Amino acid sequence: LDLSSNVLQRDPECSRLEACSVLESVNAAAAGKPLCCPKHEGKVMEFYCESCETAMCLECTKGEHREHVTVPLRDVLEQHKTQLKTQLDAIRNRLPQLTAAIELVGEISKQLTDRKNEAVTEISSTFEELERALQLRKTALINDLENIYSAKQKVLQTQLSSLLQGKDHIQSSCSFTEQALSHGSATEVLMVQKQMSERVSAMARHDFPERPHQNAHLDCQVETEGLRRSLQNLGVLITTAAVGHTSVATGEGLRHAATGQHVSVTVTTKDKDGELVRTGNAALRATVTPVADGSRVVTEPEVTDNKNGTYEVGYTLRSEGEFSFALSLYGQPLRGSPFRLQAVKPSDALPSPDDVKRRLKSPGGTAGHVRQKAVRRPSSMFSIKKKENPIEDELIHRVGTRGREKGEFTNLQGISASSNGRVVVADSNNQCIQVFSNDGQFKMRFGVRGRSPGQLQRPTGVTVDMNGDIIVADYDNRWVSIFSSDGKFKNKIGAGRLLGPKGVAVDRNGHIIAVDNKACCVFIFQSNGKLVTKFGARGTSERQFAGPHFVAVNNKNEIIVTDFHNHSVKVYSADGEFLFKFGSHGEGNGQFNAPTGVAVDTNGNVIVADWGNSRIQVFDSAGSFLSYINTSADPLYGPQGLTLTSDGHVAVADSGNHCFKIYRYLQ
């Protein structure tokens, strides 16, 4: 047994001295020598005290350890050896996993080097080819230039020679005639007169090409600006940091499919730290194989790249049965993959959230109650169901059922969480506020029906401010009530101004923001009730609403409002200036069928309850769709308010099911 002193020294409790004595004991034991007691000279240590975890001799067992349980050292040694062997086996069993991981990461590293080298080769050959093309074009331009130049020069040279010849003729005729006139005899003059007269008059009449037959225009224009710009952006490097084990797939199609029907699943890619990857192009592959015959691929689903880090995976199954649905990213399985997929005939399929929403009437507010699905009342006063299968559904808790008792609800609306681990629910048709712990345990309820200050008529929105006060929007009393954390009435604000407040939130300045569902506007009050500002009116434009519902405030103090009948989410500055909106009417990613609850996480992502589509969608701070929260195993039925609990989960008022649900939420 080789124990080096530095290993022993790693334990700060173990001094040098102890280390040496331990080594001596170990070496002695290894050599088969009996160990001598340091306290009683000559006595052999044959016993072990379990409470002090130390070896001792017979004298020690009678002395300071007489009250303790002591056993023969031999027995303990065997026991400890067995225990150590088990621990040793456990860590040795990790070696093959580590070896496999080293091989895998090494292989990816090698592939990366190969890809890089291939890319370098490709870049070099592409640019060499471009250089050749440039040279060819240069030669062609110069050739064309030479040809044009030669043609134009030929015309000019012909004209020049014709002009020069004419000039020579005139000059020689002139000098000849002058000479004859000056020096010639009478006879000579008369002889040349006729001949010269004809020649001179012919020359005078001759039409010389005096105007230029060509011009000197020959420029070269090379428009390089566009090409330079193209060259600056020539070539793109495509990569992502996405990895399989953090990326997630959501959608009913992971678990269930009706034969002959197109099914779609959303994949949201993430990096090693679980951060969302915002770009596309990841190598995502999907296969569906029968469980009974894993070697036969039934279908390779079609992958659509949304170019924003999310992908749609669509497939259609022709036969019933159990299938394995595998999703891999760069050859590595996605979180939870492969999924167990059950395909049934359309007639046997469970009702989808789409069918549920068709049965759903109007959301709370003035429209009365929501039609209730048949739910058996549990025998207990209030019920909490806990889900243990996080892959199938992100649901952790389902709290409550229809009724009037504590922990029961009739058409719950707003929901809010406090920083001290509480979830506060506005139970609108029971005219009360109920408070639970983050894990769904009932804590208290308060509120009495009525139209006087401190009473509740139809509580719809609820929020908790920095002091822990509970702020309630009362739709039918047309005001906002403020209660202490233990339910004592403190104040009411907005009376005489509000027509039908639905959602309520508190910003970073402590201002109370109330969404008036009836008047289609947003009020901002100081906590004492003084109006700071209001904005909005009925309509479809940027600063208008059609039945706005709930409101949230992000870390920039911006105000986020769900515009129910305009099927969008609108974002305003702290003083009500319109910034941007997102969403349109429909059932696709990022579309809404009447949005209700809204909340913002610590990263600024916006979570929206899509009431008519009975689902929860997640967007980034700019309004781009990121993912869904998986609610398929226990479908929502007209979700209303939603909030983020202090432990980072999403709580949603499942209004039509008269309960609230808490979902695991991966930020």
Side-chain angles (χ1 to χ4, degrees), residues 581-658:
K581 67 172 188 171
F582 58 92
S584 60
H585 191 215
E587 297 180 8
N589 292 349
Q591 293 187 306
F592 300 113
N593 184 4
T596 45
V598 61
V600 182
D601 72 14
T602 51
N603 297 320
N605 295 329
V606 181
I607 304 152
V608 183
D610 187 358
W611 178 82
N613 288 324
S614 287
R615 64 187 181 182
I616 301 171
Q617 302 193 60
V618 184
F619 300 83
D620 70 11
S621 56
S624 296
F625 172 80
L626 293 177
S627 63
Y628 297 105
I629 289 174
N630 189 349
T631 60
S632 53
D634 185 357
L636 296 171
Y637 186 39
Q640 288 273 347
L642 61 75
T643 186
L644 275 161
T645 64
S646 58
D647 50 5
H649 297 315
V650 169
V652 59
D654 189 357
S655 180
N657 285 320
H658 305 285

Side-chain angles (χ1 to χ4, degrees), residues 77-90:
L77 189 64
E78 285 309 315
Q79 185 188 330
H80 281 223
K81 275 164 99 175
T82 309
Q83 194 180 341
L84 267 173
K85 271 185 187 153
T86 310
Q87 286 174 307
L88 201 60
D89 288 345

Side-chain angles (χ1 to χ4, degrees), residues 215-236:
N215 56 49
H217 184 182
L218 182 50
D219 291 338
C220 176
Q221 235 182 14
V222 184
E223 179 11 72
T224 57
E225 192 47 44
L227 183 60
R228 274 204 192 93
R229 268 204 304 274
S230 301
L231 281 172
Q232 277 166 2
N233 304 316
L234 183 60
V236 274

Side-chain angles (χ1 to χ4, degrees), residues 445-610:
R445 84 171 185 177
F446 64 87
V448 55
R449 180 180 186 167
R451 296 192 179 273
S452 304
Q455 296 180 329
L456 299 170
Q457 194 60 28
R458 184 188 290 278
T460 46
V462 64
T463 191
V464 182
D465 72 9
M466 299 140 180
N467 312 319
D469 285 351
I470 296 167
I471 298 165
V472 181
D474 191 326
Y475 197 93
D476 284 359
N477 274 331
R478 303 182 174 191
W479 62 54
V480 172
S481 297
I482 302 172
F483 298 87
S484 67
S485 59
D486 53 359
K488 303 275 186 297
F489 175 68
K490 290 173 85 167
N491 191 13
K492 73 175 170 68
I493 65 172
R497 294 184 188 274
L498 298 165
L499 295 183
K502 173 95 188 208
V504 67
V506 175
D507 74 7
R508 303 196 162 220
N509 306 320
H511 292 155
I512 294 169
I513 298 160
V515 173
D516 195 325
N517 173 268
K518 266 192 180 173
C520 291
C521 62
V522 175
F523 287 84
I524 304 177
F525 299 99
Q526 287 179 3
S527 54
N528 60 9
K530 184 173 185 297
L531 182 67
V532 178
T533 187
K534 67 172 265 200
F535 61 90
R538 183 176 298 280
T540 56
S541 74
E542 295 172 345
R543 281 175 62 88
Q544 295 178 324
F545 304 100
H549 265 56
F550 288 96
V551 59
V553 177
N554 68 12
N555 43 20
K556 296 185 202 155
N557 220 20
E558 293 165 349
I559 299 165
I560 303 169
V561 182
T562 51
D563 193 353
F564 188 83
H565 291 294
N566 285 329
H567 310 290
S568 57
V569 174
K570 293 177 176 170
V571 183
Y572 299 86
S573 70
D575 46 10
E577 285 307 308
F578 175 81
L579 299 174
F580 66 95
K581 67 172 188 171
F582 58 92
S584 60
H585 191 215
E587 297 180 8
N589 292 349
Q591 293 187 306
F592 300 113
N593 184 4
T596 45
V598 61
V600 182
D601 72 14
T602 51
N603 297 320
N605 295 329
V606 181
I607 304 152
V608 183
D610 187 358

Side-chain angles (χ1 to χ4, degrees), residues 23-36 44-46 73 77:
L23 272 174
E24 280 169 21
S25 309
V26 168
N27 292 338
K33 297 176 194 163
L35 299 176
C36 290
V44 175
M45 293 200 285
E46 298 178 71
L73 190 62
L77 189 64

Side-chain angles (χ1 to χ4, degrees), residues 129-142:
E129 206 172 298
L130 280 174
E131 282 164 23
R132 282 197 296 278
L134 276 171
Q135 281 305 119
L136 279 170
R137 182 66 187 139
K138 177 182 163 186
T139 310
L141 269 176
I142 291 172

Side-chain angles (χ1 to χ4, degrees), residues 42 47 56 114 121 126-127 137 162-163 186 193 210 215 277 297 308-309 332 365 390 423 452 545 571 595 634 654:
F47 297 94
M56 68 191 86
D114 293 347
T121 308
T126 304
F127 279 80
R137 182 66 187 139
S162 165
L163 288 167
Q193 189 270 334
E210 288 169 35
N215 56 49
V277 172
V297 175
N308 61 0
Q332 297 303 303
V423 175
S452 304
F545 304 100
V571 183
D634 185 357
D654 189 357

